[in-house]
Amino acid sequence: MESTSPTSTKQTLTIPTPESSPKPSKKSFVTSLMAAAALRTPSFKEDTYFISHLKTFERKALKELKDKLMSSHGPDSMWGIPLLGNVDERADVVLLKFLRARDFRVHDSLNMLLKCLNWRKEFGAETVLEEDLGFKELEGSVAYMQGIDRGAHPVCYNAYGVFKDKEMYEKFFGDDEKLKKFLRWRVQVLERGIKLLHFKPGGVNSIIQVTDLKDMPKRELRVASNHILSLFQDNYPEMVARKIFVNVPWYFSLLYSMFSPFLTQRTKSKFVISKEGNVAETLYKFIRPEYVPVQYGGLSRPGDALNGPPKSASEFTIKGGEKVNIQIEGIEGGSTITWDIVVGGWELEYSAEFVPNAEGGYTIAVEKPRRMTADEEAVHNSFAAREAGKLVLSVDNTASRCRKVAAYRYVVRKSS
């Protein structure tokens, strides 16, 4: 992370109209990160699944797989998609996933596909979404779908730190039956994400997985982790476009060595590793702030999706030794302004004040300066303006050498 010597440098972002939250005029640090990410992140390129984009041997392998599937197994379906009959273009997407997972070796791809079809029937994967498995307390914390990435892929979050508590561990992994039930629930969560996919050429055909390794009990969850990895790799090929690990501790290399043998080289090429304290900066490369959960330095809170698509956020960066003032102007008297603001890894001072337009008016301290700790979530607040003026949000990073990513958004409701 780039750093500079602390100075009294001040950056002022003036927002002239209250109807929207435009980006700062200067080039965002996140933009630079996105460009650099192309060089630093794994060289994985997601398939388009257009038949015209396939190489000759790949098209030949697809036809051969269809022929062999028909002769050895007959018509069948997966995720509600008929795999044979040339009546549904989604079938090609499914079959190509199995071919890609086995480097277009038709015999190996067919074996994988047949085993998957048998597993889905034995497991009851087609109906698992209808079941109430009694894992309400884990919803939204251990494994859950939330938001999309910058490419519109659904995002699945995983965090197993709660199982550091022995009672929680025994409750869900205490014996083989409990483990089987947990695995069934984990498949259910994944099936929810797959239900959001298009299975169409050029469409969204895979998900993003974010795995939080903070406080994860590596030794205790070894068996469960191996089961999950094996189950997903055998039966959900090419369903993950990118796997992002956050809050990666020093011992990750040991943990990685445990499950690495269960992964293909193509799967490993999708990995992104983010150390502790670098979560927001990493996630912002791939996911817009309004879709990143608040516990990871974003603006998305549980239940937000019930109100429709989230309001877009503006992204900016705060250099080490810099203070940023965001001025939202044009607020009319009688209006109410509501805002969200967050800085990844905070550890700086934040404040908000309302400055009246009238000469001689008194500035109102809406939020007094306070130190924001590293684990604090996004600020969400409102202010009813009795007179015309502007709202100034200040983030003071002059005591730090670290550059940080940040985001904000707001909405102004005028009085009727």
Side-chain angles (χ1 to χ4, degrees), residues 274-309:
S274 175
K275 63 183 180 180
E276 291 180 283
N278 208 34
V279 178
E281 181 179 340
T282 299
L283 293 182
Y284 280 19
K285 295 177 188 178
F286 309 104
I287 308 170
R288 289 192 53 81
E290 61 267 25
Y291 288 108
V292 174
V294 288
Q295 64 267 34
Y296 296 126
L299 300 174
S300 178
R301 292 181 169 82
D304 281 357
L306 298 177
N307 300 318

PDB file of all heavy atoms in Angstrom, residues 274-309:
ATOM      1  N   SER A 274      -6.291 -11.622   0.031  1.00  0.00           N
ATOM      2  CA  SER A 274      -6.239 -10.313   0.676  1.00  0.00           C
ATOM      3  C   SER A 274      -5.894 -10.473   2.155  1.00  0.00           C
ATOM      4  O   SER A 274      -6.591 -11.169   2.891  1.00  0.00           O
ATOM      5  CB  SER A 274      -7.601  -9.608   0.550  1.00  0.00           C
ATOM      6  OG  SER A 274      -7.609  -8.395   1.267  1.00  0.00           O
ATOM      7  N   LYS A 275      -4.830  -9.823   2.586  1.00  0.00           N
ATOM      8  CA  LYS A 275      -4.402  -9.936   3.965  1.00  0.00           C
ATOM      9  C   LYS A 275      -5.337  -9.185   4.901  1.00  0.00           C
ATOM     10  O   LYS A 275      -6.175  -8.383   4.468  1.00  0.00           O
ATOM     11  CB  LYS A 275      -2.974  -9.398   4.115  1.00  0.00           C
ATOM     12  CG  LYS A 275      -2.844  -7.920   3.797  1.00  0.00           C
ATOM     13  CD  LYS A 275      -1.394  -7.474   3.903  1.00  0.00           C
ATOM     14  CE  LYS A 275      -1.270  -5.985   3.573  1.00  0.00           C
ATOM     15  NZ  LYS A 275       0.132  -5.507   3.660  1.00  0.00           N
ATOM     16  N   GLU A 276      -5.193  -9.399   6.182  1.00  0.00           N
ATOM     17  CA  GLU A 276      -6.008  -8.717   7.182  1.00  0.00           C
ATOM     18  C   GLU A 276      -5.788  -7.210   7.082  1.00  0.00           C
ATOM     19  O   GLU A 276      -4.673  -6.741   6.878  1.00  0.00           O
ATOM     20  CB  GLU A 276      -5.640  -9.218   8.583  1.00  0.00           C
ATOM     21  CG  GLU A 276      -6.062 -10.656   8.845  1.00  0.00           C
ATOM     22  CD  GLU A 276      -5.694 -11.126  10.246  1.00  0.00           C
ATOM     23  OE1 GLU A 276      -4.513 -11.432  10.472  1.00  0.00           O
ATOM     24  OE2 GLU A 276      -6.597 -11.178  11.102  1.00  0.00           O
ATOM     25  N   GLY A 277      -6.873  -6.446   7.226  1.00  0.00           N
ATOM     26  CA  GLY A 277      -6.782  -4.996   7.171  1.00  0.00           C
ATOM     27  C   GLY A 277      -6.814  -4.438   5.762  1.00  0.00           C
ATOM     28  O   GLY A 277      -6.721  -3.227   5.562  1.00  0.00           O
ATOM     29  N   ASN A 278      -6.967  -5.305   4.770  1.00  0.00           N
ATOM     30  CA  ASN A 278      -6.949  -4.859   3.382  1.00  0.00           C
ATOM     31  C   ASN A 278      -8.230  -5.269   2.653  1.00  0.00           C
ATOM     32  O   ASN A 278      -8.256  -5.335   1.423  1.00  0.00           O
ATOM     33  CB  ASN A 278      -5.738  -5.479   2.677  1.00  0.00           C
ATOM     34  CG  ASN A 278      -5.228  -4.630   1.543  1.00  0.00           C
ATOM     35  OD1 ASN A 278      -5.285  -3.415   1.601  1.00  0.00           O
ATOM     36  ND2 ASN A 278      -4.728  -5.269   0.500  1.00  0.00           N
ATOM     37  N   VAL A 279      -9.291  -5.533   3.413  1.00  0.00           N
ATOM     38  CA  VAL A 279     -10.509  -6.123   2.840  1.00  0.00           C
ATOM     39  C   VAL A 279     -11.215  -5.197   1.866  1.00  0.00           C
ATOM     40  O   VAL A 279     -11.474  -5.567   0.713  1.00  0.00           O
ATOM     41  CB  VAL A 279     -11.485  -6.547   3.963  1.00  0.00           C
ATOM     42  CG1 VAL A 279     -12.757  -7.117   3.359  1.00  0.00           C
ATOM     43  CG2 VAL A 279     -10.828  -7.567   4.878  1.00  0.00           C
ATOM     44  N   ALA A 280     -11.549  -3.969   2.310  1.00  0.00           N
ATOM     45  CA  ALA A 280     -12.304  -3.054   1.447  1.00  0.00           C
ATOM     46  C   ALA A 280     -11.550  -2.740   0.167  1.00  0.00           C
ATOM     47  O   ALA A 280     -12.124  -2.735  -0.933  1.00  0.00           O
ATOM     48  CB  ALA A 280     -12.618  -1.768   2.210  1.00  0.00           C
ATOM     49  N   GLU A 281     -10.258  -2.495   0.284  1.00  0.00           N
ATOM     50  CA  GLU A 281      -9.457  -2.177  -0.898  1.00  0.00           C
ATOM     51  C   GLU A 281      -9.509  -3.307  -1.918  1.00  0.00           C
ATOM     52  O   GLU A 281      -9.620  -3.072  -3.123  1.00  0.00           O
ATOM     53  CB  GLU A 281      -8.006  -1.912  -0.480  1.00  0.00           C
ATOM     54  CG  GLU A 281      -7.100  -1.539  -1.633  1.00  0.00           C
ATOM     55  CD  GLU A 281      -5.681  -1.248  -1.182  1.00  0.00           C
ATOM     56  OE1 GLU A 281      -5.472  -0.965   0.012  1.00  0.00           O
ATOM     57  OE2 GLU A 281      -4.775  -1.315  -2.035  1.00  0.00           O
ATOM     58  N   THR A 282      -9.466  -4.544  -1.439  1.00  0.00           N
ATOM     59  CA  THR A 282      -9.528  -5.699  -2.339  1.00  0.00           C
ATOM     60  C   THR A 282     -10.916  -5.869  -2.942  1.00  0.00           C
ATOM     61  O   THR A 282     -11.068  -6.036  -4.158  1.00  0.00           O
ATOM     62  CB  THR A 282      -9.136  -6.986  -1.587  1.00  0.00           C
ATOM     63  OG1 THR A 282      -7.800  -6.861  -1.111  1.00  0.00           O
ATOM     64  CG2 THR A 282      -9.228  -8.195  -2.505  1.00  0.00           C
ATOM     65  N   LEU A 283     -11.949  -5.823  -2.105  1.00  0.00           N
ATOM     66  CA  LEU A 283     -13.307  -6.050  -2.601  1.00  0.00           C
ATOM     67  C   LEU A 283     -13.756  -4.959  -3.566  1.00  0.00           C
ATOM     68  O   LEU A 283     -14.486  -5.242  -4.530  1.00  0.00           O
ATOM     69  CB  LEU A 283     -14.285  -6.164  -1.430  1.00  0.00           C
ATOM     70  CG  LEU A 283     -14.118  -7.394  -0.540  1.00  0.00           C
ATOM     71  CD1 LEU A 283     -15.190  -7.416   0.550  1.00  0.00           C
ATOM     72  CD2 LEU A 283     -14.167  -8.683  -1.354  1.00  0.00           C
ATOM     73  N   TYR A 284     -13.334  -3.713  -3.335  1.00  0.00           N
ATOM     74  CA  TYR A 284     -13.739  -2.623  -4.225  1.00  0.00           C
ATOM     75  C   TYR A 284     -13.207  -2.824  -5.646  1.00  0.00           C
ATOM     76  O   TYR A 284     -13.749  -2.265  -6.596  1.00  0.00           O
ATOM     77  CB  TYR A 284     -13.239  -1.283  -3.698  1.00  0.00           C
ATOM     78  CG  TYR A 284     -14.072  -0.680  -2.575  1.00  0.00           C
ATOM     79  CD1 TYR A 284     -14.942  -1.463  -1.817  1.00  0.00           C
ATOM     80  CD2 TYR A 284     -13.976   0.666  -2.254  1.00  0.00           C
ATOM     81  CE1 TYR A 284     -15.680  -0.915  -0.792  1.00  0.00           C
ATOM     82  CE2 TYR A 284     -14.712   1.229  -1.227  1.00  0.00           C
ATOM     83  CZ  TYR A 284     -15.566   0.436  -0.493  1.00  0.00           C
ATOM     84  OH  TYR A 284     -16.302   0.980   0.532  1.00  0.00           O
ATOM     85  N   LYS A 285     -12.148  -3.602  -5.814  1.00  0.00           N
ATOM     86  CA  LYS A 285     -11.642  -3.878  -7.154  1.00  0.00           C
ATOM     87  C   LYS A 285     -12.679  -4.643  -7.977  1.00  0.00           C
ATOM     88  O   LYS A 285     -12.758  -4.486  -9.191  1.00  0.00           O
ATOM     89  CB  LYS A 285     -10.366  -4.725  -7.092  1.00  0.00           C
ATOM     90  CG  LYS A 285      -9.172  -4.067  -6.449  1.00  0.00           C
ATOM     91  CD  LYS A 285      -8.025  -5.071  -6.415  1.00  0.00           C
ATOM     92  CE  LYS A 285      -6.849  -4.557  -5.615  1.00  0.00           C
ATOM     93  NZ  LYS A 285      -5.753  -5.564  -5.537  1.00  0.00           N
ATOM     94  N   PHE A 286     -13.451  -5.471  -7.298  1.00  0.00           N
ATOM     95  CA  PHE A 286     -14.363  -6.382  -7.993  1.00  0.00           C
ATOM     96  C   PHE A 286     -15.837  -6.100  -7.730  1.00  0.00           C
ATOM     97  O   PHE A 286     -16.695  -6.503  -8.525  1.00  0.00           O
ATOM     98  CB  PHE A 286     -14.052  -7.822  -7.576  1.00  0.00           C
ATOM     99  CG  PHE A 286     -12.595  -8.185  -7.709  1.00  0.00           C
ATOM    100  CD1 PHE A 286     -11.782  -8.271  -6.599  1.00  0.00           C
ATOM    101  CD2 PHE A 286     -12.038  -8.408  -8.955  1.00  0.00           C
ATOM    102  CE1 PHE A 286     -10.435  -8.595  -6.712  1.00  0.00           C
ATOM    103  CE2 PHE A 286     -10.696  -8.732  -9.091  1.00  0.00           C
ATOM    104  CZ  PHE A 286      -9.891  -8.820  -7.969  1.00  0.00           C
ATOM    105  N   ILE A 287     -16.153  -5.438  -6.619  1.00  0.00           N
ATOM    106  CA  ILE A 287     -17.551  -5.225  -6.212  1.00  0.00           C
ATOM    107  C   ILE A 287     -17.748  -3.756  -5.858  1.00  0.00           C
ATOM    108  O   ILE A 287     -16.948  -3.183  -5.103  1.00  0.00           O
ATOM    109  CB  ILE A 287     -17.908  -6.100  -4.995  1.00  0.00           C
ATOM    110  CG1 ILE A 287     -17.538  -7.570  -5.253  1.00  0.00           C
ATOM    111  CG2 ILE A 287     -19.393  -5.979  -4.652  1.00  0.00           C
ATOM    112  CD1 ILE A 287     -17.643  -8.453  -4.015  1.00  0.00           C
ATOM    113  N   ARG A 288     -18.787  -3.144  -6.377  1.00  0.00           N
ATOM    114  CA  ARG A 288     -19.059  -1.740  -6.040  1.00  0.00           C
ATOM    115  C   ARG A 288     -19.432  -1.615  -4.560  1.00  0.00           C
ATOM    116  O   ARG A 288     -20.052  -2.518  -3.986  1.00  0.00           O
ATOM    117  CB  ARG A 288     -20.185  -1.184  -6.912  1.00  0.00           C
ATOM    118  CG  ARG A 288     -19.788  -0.963  -8.385  1.00  0.00           C
ATOM    119  CD  ARG A 288     -20.854  -0.148  -9.119  1.00  0.00           C
ATOM    120  NE  ARG A 288     -21.156   1.092  -8.420  1.00  0.00           N
ATOM    121  CZ  ARG A 288     -20.425   2.201  -8.494  1.00  0.00           C
ATOM    122  NH1 ARG A 288     -19.335   2.219  -9.242  1.00  0.00           N
ATOM    123  NH2 ARG A 288     -20.776   3.286  -7.831  1.00  0.00           N
ATOM    124  N   PRO A 289     -19.075  -0.488  -3.924  1.00  0.00           N
ATOM    125  CA  PRO A 289     -19.297  -0.310  -2.474  1.00  0.00           C
ATOM    126  C   PRO A 289     -20.740  -0.525  -2.019  1.00  0.00           C
ATOM    127  O   PRO A 289     -20.964  -1.033  -0.924  1.00  0.00           O
ATOM    128  CB  PRO A 289     -18.867   1.141  -2.231  1.00  0.00           C
ATOM    129  CG  PRO A 289     -17.894   1.433  -3.318  1.00  0.00           C
ATOM    130  CD  PRO A 289     -18.384   0.677  -4.512  1.00  0.00           C
ATOM    131  N   GLU A 290     -21.709  -0.158  -2.865  1.00  0.00           N
ATOM    132  CA  GLU A 290     -23.108  -0.309  -2.454  1.00  0.00           C
ATOM    133  C   GLU A 290     -23.530  -1.767  -2.362  1.00  0.00           C
ATOM    134  O   GLU A 290     -24.580  -2.085  -1.803  1.00  0.00           O
ATOM    135  CB  GLU A 290     -24.050   0.456  -3.378  1.00  0.00           C
ATOM    136  CG  GLU A 290     -24.039   0.021  -4.816  1.00  0.00           C
ATOM    137  CD  GLU A 290     -23.080   0.828  -5.672  1.00  0.00           C
ATOM    138  OE1 GLU A 290     -22.110   1.382  -5.117  1.00  0.00           O
ATOM    139  OE2 GLU A 290     -23.325   0.907  -6.891  1.00  0.00           O
ATOM    140  N   TYR A 291     -22.704  -2.681  -2.910  1.00  0.00           N
ATOM    141  CA  TYR A 291     -22.999  -4.103  -2.822  1.00  0.00           C
ATOM    142  C   TYR A 291     -22.106  -4.839  -1.821  1.00  0.00           C
ATOM    143  O   TYR A 291     -22.339  -6.016  -1.529  1.00  0.00           O
ATOM    144  CB  TYR A 291     -22.850  -4.759  -4.197  1.00  0.00           C
ATOM    145  CG  TYR A 291     -23.946  -4.397  -5.176  1.00  0.00           C
ATOM    146  CD1 TYR A 291     -23.696  -3.546  -6.248  1.00  0.00           C
ATOM    147  CD2 TYR A 291     -25.239  -4.897  -5.018  1.00  0.00           C
ATOM    148  CE1 TYR A 291     -24.704  -3.207  -7.139  1.00  0.00           C
ATOM    149  CE2 TYR A 291     -26.243  -4.564  -5.903  1.00  0.00           C
ATOM    150  CZ  TYR A 291     -25.974  -3.717  -6.965  1.00  0.00           C
ATOM    151  OH  TYR A 291     -26.981  -3.388  -7.849  1.00  0.00           O
ATOM    152  N   VAL A 292     -21.090  -4.169  -1.307  1.00  0.00           N
ATOM    153  CA  VAL A 292     -20.201  -4.794  -0.326  1.00  0.00           C
ATOM    154  C   VAL A 292     -20.841  -4.698   1.057  1.00  0.00           C
ATOM    155  O   VAL A 292     -21.265  -3.620   1.478  1.00  0.00           O
ATOM    156  CB  VAL A 292     -18.822  -4.096  -0.308  1.00  0.00           C
ATOM    157  CG1 VAL A 292     -17.942  -4.659   0.810  1.00  0.00           C
ATOM    158  CG2 VAL A 292     -18.130  -4.252  -1.656  1.00  0.00           C
ATOM    159  N   PRO A 293     -20.950  -5.812   1.803  1.00  0.00           N
ATOM    160  CA  PRO A 293     -21.556  -5.773   3.139  1.00  0.00           C
ATOM    161  C   PRO A 293     -20.825  -4.793   4.060  1.00  0.00           C
ATOM    162  O   PRO A 293     -19.607  -4.599   3.948  1.00  0.00           O
ATOM    163  CB  PRO A 293     -21.397  -7.219   3.639  1.00  0.00           C
ATOM    164  CG  PRO A 293     -21.337  -8.044   2.389  1.00  0.00           C
ATOM    165  CD  PRO A 293     -20.578  -7.192   1.410  1.00  0.00           C
ATOM    166  N   VAL A 294     -21.586  -4.187   4.977  1.00  0.00           N
ATOM    167  CA  VAL A 294     -21.004  -3.180   5.868  1.00  0.00           C
ATOM    168  C   VAL A 294     -19.867  -3.746   6.716  1.00  0.00           C
ATOM    169  O   VAL A 294     -18.918  -3.023   7.043  1.00  0.00           O
ATOM    170  CB  VAL A 294     -22.086  -2.563   6.788  1.00  0.00           C
ATOM    171  CG1 VAL A 294     -22.998  -1.641   6.005  1.00  0.00           C
ATOM    172  CG2 VAL A 294     -22.893  -3.647   7.511  1.00  0.00           C
ATOM    173  N   GLN A 295     -19.925  -5.032   7.061  1.00  0.00           N
ATOM    174  CA  GLN A 295     -18.862  -5.607   7.890  1.00  0.00           C
ATOM    175  C   GLN A 295     -17.545  -5.736   7.142  1.00  0.00           C
ATOM    176  O   GLN A 295     -16.496  -5.971   7.737  1.00  0.00           O
ATOM    177  CB  GLN A 295     -19.278  -6.966   8.465  1.00  0.00           C
ATOM    178  CG  GLN A 295     -19.526  -8.063   7.465  1.00  0.00           C
ATOM    179  CD  GLN A 295     -20.985  -8.160   7.064  1.00  0.00           C
ATOM    180  OE1 GLN A 295     -21.692  -7.149   6.982  1.00  0.00           O
ATOM    181  NE2 GLN A 295     -21.454  -9.385   6.823  1.00  0.00           N
ATOM    182  N   TYR A 296     -17.582  -5.539   5.820  1.00  0.00           N
ATOM    183  CA  TYR A 296     -16.362  -5.603   5.016  1.00  0.00           C
ATOM    184  C   TYR A 296     -15.995  -4.243   4.418  1.00  0.00           C
ATOM    185  O   TYR A 296     -15.272  -4.168   3.433  1.00  0.00           O
ATOM    186  CB  TYR A 296     -16.508  -6.651   3.922  1.00  0.00           C
ATOM    187  CG  TYR A 296     -16.664  -8.053   4.459  1.00  0.00           C
ATOM    188  CD1 TYR A 296     -17.730  -8.855   4.096  1.00  0.00           C
ATOM    189  CD2 TYR A 296     -15.734  -8.568   5.363  1.00  0.00           C
ATOM    190  CE1 TYR A 296     -17.877 -10.140   4.607  1.00  0.00           C
ATOM    191  CE2 TYR A 296     -15.876  -9.839   5.878  1.00  0.00           C
ATOM    192  CZ  TYR A 296     -16.946 -10.623   5.504  1.00  0.00           C
ATOM    193  OH  TYR A 296     -17.093 -11.892   6.026  1.00  0.00           O
ATOM    194  N   GLY A 297     -16.515  -3.180   5.007  1.00  0.00           N
ATOM    195  CA  GLY A 297     -16.155  -1.845   4.557  1.00  0.00           C
ATOM    196  C   GLY A 297     -17.008  -1.308   3.429  1.00  0.00           C
ATOM    197  O   GLY A 297     -16.620  -0.365   2.736  1.00  0.00           O
ATOM    198  N   GLY A 298     -18.212  -1.884   3.256  1.00  0.00           N
ATOM    199  CA  GLY A 298     -19.115  -1.420   2.214  1.00  0.00           C
ATOM    200  C   GLY A 298     -20.327  -0.712   2.779  1.00  0.00           C
ATOM    201  O   GLY A 298     -20.363  -0.334   3.956  1.00  0.00           O
ATOM    202  N   LEU A 299     -21.357  -0.553   1.946  1.00  0.00           N
ATOM    203  CA  LEU A 299     -22.566   0.173   2.339  1.00  0.00           C
ATOM    204  C   LEU A 299     -23.813  -0.700   2.358  1.00  0.00           C
ATOM    205  O   LEU A 299     -24.906  -0.218   2.649  1.00  0.00           O
ATOM    206  CB  LEU A 299     -22.801   1.339   1.362  1.00  0.00           C
ATOM    207  CG  LEU A 299     -21.689   2.387   1.279  1.00  0.00           C
ATOM    208  CD1 LEU A 299     -21.998   3.394   0.168  1.00  0.00           C
ATOM    209  CD2 LEU A 299     -21.520   3.113   2.602  1.00  0.00           C
ATOM    210  N   SER A 300     -23.668  -1.991   2.065  1.00  0.00           N
ATOM    211  CA  SER A 300     -24.824  -2.884   1.972  1.00  0.00           C
ATOM    212  C   SER A 300     -25.168  -3.491   3.332  1.00  0.00           C
ATOM    213  O   SER A 300     -24.342  -4.148   3.962  1.00  0.00           O
ATOM    214  CB  SER A 300     -24.539  -4.007   0.976  1.00  0.00           C
ATOM    215  OG  SER A 300     -25.629  -4.905   0.895  1.00  0.00           O
ATOM    216  N   ARG A 301     -26.415  -3.256   3.747  1.00  0.00           N
ATOM    217  CA  ARG A 301     -26.894  -3.795   5.022  1.00  0.00           C
ATOM    218  C   ARG A 301     -27.929  -4.887   4.774  1.00  0.00           C
ATOM    219  O   ARG A 301     -28.611  -4.880   3.750  1.00  0.00           O
ATOM    220  CB  ARG A 301     -27.516  -2.685   5.880  1.00  0.00           C
ATOM    221  CG  ARG A 301     -26.509  -1.668   6.379  1.00  0.00           C
ATOM    222  CD  ARG A 301     -27.188  -0.597   7.246  1.00  0.00           C
ATOM    223  NE  ARG A 301     -26.200   0.227   7.923  1.00  0.00           N
ATOM    224  CZ  ARG A 301     -25.578   1.256   7.380  1.00  0.00           C
ATOM    225  NH1 ARG A 301     -25.859   1.608   6.130  1.00  0.00           N
ATOM    226  NH2 ARG A 301     -24.679   1.955   8.053  1.00  0.00           N
ATOM    227  N   PRO A 302     -28.073  -5.832   5.717  1.00  0.00           N
ATOM    228  CA  PRO A 302     -29.085  -6.885   5.561  1.00  0.00           C
ATOM    229  C   PRO A 302     -30.468  -6.281   5.345  1.00  0.00           C
ATOM    230  O   PRO A 302     -30.865  -5.341   6.030  1.00  0.00           O
ATOM    231  CB  PRO A 302     -29.009  -7.638   6.896  1.00  0.00           C
ATOM    232  CG  PRO A 302     -27.612  -7.403   7.375  1.00  0.00           C
ATOM    233  CD  PRO A 302     -27.288  -5.993   6.962  1.00  0.00           C
ATOM    234  N   GLY A 303     -31.176  -6.795   4.390  1.00  0.00           N
ATOM    235  CA  GLY A 303     -32.531  -6.311   4.132  1.00  0.00           C
ATOM    236  C   GLY A 303     -32.608  -5.188   3.111  1.00  0.00           C
ATOM    237  O   GLY A 303     -33.695  -4.812   2.679  1.00  0.00           O
ATOM    238  N   ASP A 304     -31.459  -4.634   2.711  1.00  0.00           N
ATOM    239  CA  ASP A 304     -31.472  -3.543   1.731  1.00  0.00           C
ATOM    240  C   ASP A 304     -32.125  -3.962   0.424  1.00  0.00           C
ATOM    241  O   ASP A 304     -32.790  -3.165  -0.241  1.00  0.00           O
ATOM    242  CB  ASP A 304     -30.052  -3.058   1.444  1.00  0.00           C
ATOM    243  CG  ASP A 304     -29.513  -2.123   2.524  1.00  0.00           C
ATOM    244  OD1 ASP A 304     -30.274  -1.821   3.459  1.00  0.00           O
ATOM    245  OD2 ASP A 304     -28.337  -1.709   2.431  1.00  0.00           O
ATOM    246  N   ALA A 305     -31.930  -5.225   0.041  1.00  0.00           N
ATOM    247  CA  ALA A 305     -32.451  -5.707  -1.244  1.00  0.00           C
ATOM    248  C   ALA A 305     -33.972  -5.645  -1.297  1.00  0.00           C
ATOM    249  O   ALA A 305     -34.559  -5.610  -2.385  1.00  0.00           O
ATOM    250  CB  ALA A 305     -31.975  -7.130  -1.498  1.00  0.00           C
ATOM    251  N   LEU A 306     -34.626  -5.625  -0.136  1.00  0.00           N
ATOM    252  CA  LEU A 306     -36.082  -5.576  -0.105  1.00  0.00           C
ATOM    253  C   LEU A 306     -36.608  -4.246  -0.632  1.00  0.00           C
ATOM    254  O   LEU A 306     -37.766  -4.134  -1.020  1.00  0.00           O
ATOM    255  CB  LEU A 306     -36.581  -5.794   1.336  1.00  0.00           C
ATOM    256  CG  LEU A 306     -36.225  -7.145   1.972  1.00  0.00           C
ATOM    257  CD1 LEU A 306     -36.714  -7.176   3.425  1.00  0.00           C
ATOM    258  CD2 LEU A 306     -36.829  -8.298   1.180  1.00  0.00           C
ATOM    259  N   ASN A 307     -35.732  -3.228  -0.650  1.00  0.00           N
ATOM    260  CA  ASN A 307     -36.139  -1.901  -1.115  1.00  0.00           C
ATOM    261  C   ASN A 307     -35.762  -1.651  -2.573  1.00  0.00           C
ATOM    262  O   ASN A 307     -35.796  -0.511  -3.039  1.00  0.00           O
ATOM    263  CB  ASN A 307     -35.483  -0.828  -0.232  1.00  0.00           C
ATOM    264  CG  ASN A 307     -35.878  -0.960   1.224  1.00  0.00           C
ATOM    265  OD1 ASN A 307     -37.045  -1.210   1.533  1.00  0.00           O
ATOM    266  ND2 ASN A 307     -34.917  -0.806   2.124  1.00  0.00           N
ATOM    267  N   GLY A 308     -35.380  -2.714  -3.278  1.00  0.00           N
ATOM    268  CA  GLY A 308     -35.006  -2.569  -4.677  1.00  0.00           C
ATOM    269  C   GLY A 308     -33.509  -2.380  -4.838  1.00  0.00           C
ATOM    270  O   GLY A 308     -32.751  -2.452  -3.869  1.00  0.00           O
ATOM    271  N   PRO A 309     -33.052  -2.121  -6.072  1.00  0.00           N
ATOM    272  CA  PRO A 309     -31.616  -1.933  -6.327  1.00  0.00           C
ATOM    273  C   PRO A 309     -31.066  -0.799  -5.466  1.00  0.00           C
ATOM    274  O   PRO A 309     -31.720   0.224  -5.272  1.00  0.00           O
ATOM    275  CB  PRO A 309     -31.567  -1.571  -7.819  1.00  0.00           C
ATOM    276  CG  PRO A 309     -32.821  -2.143  -8.386  1.00  0.00           C
ATOM    277  CD  PRO A 309     -33.847  -2.010  -7.298  1.00  0.00           C
TER     278      PRO A 309
END
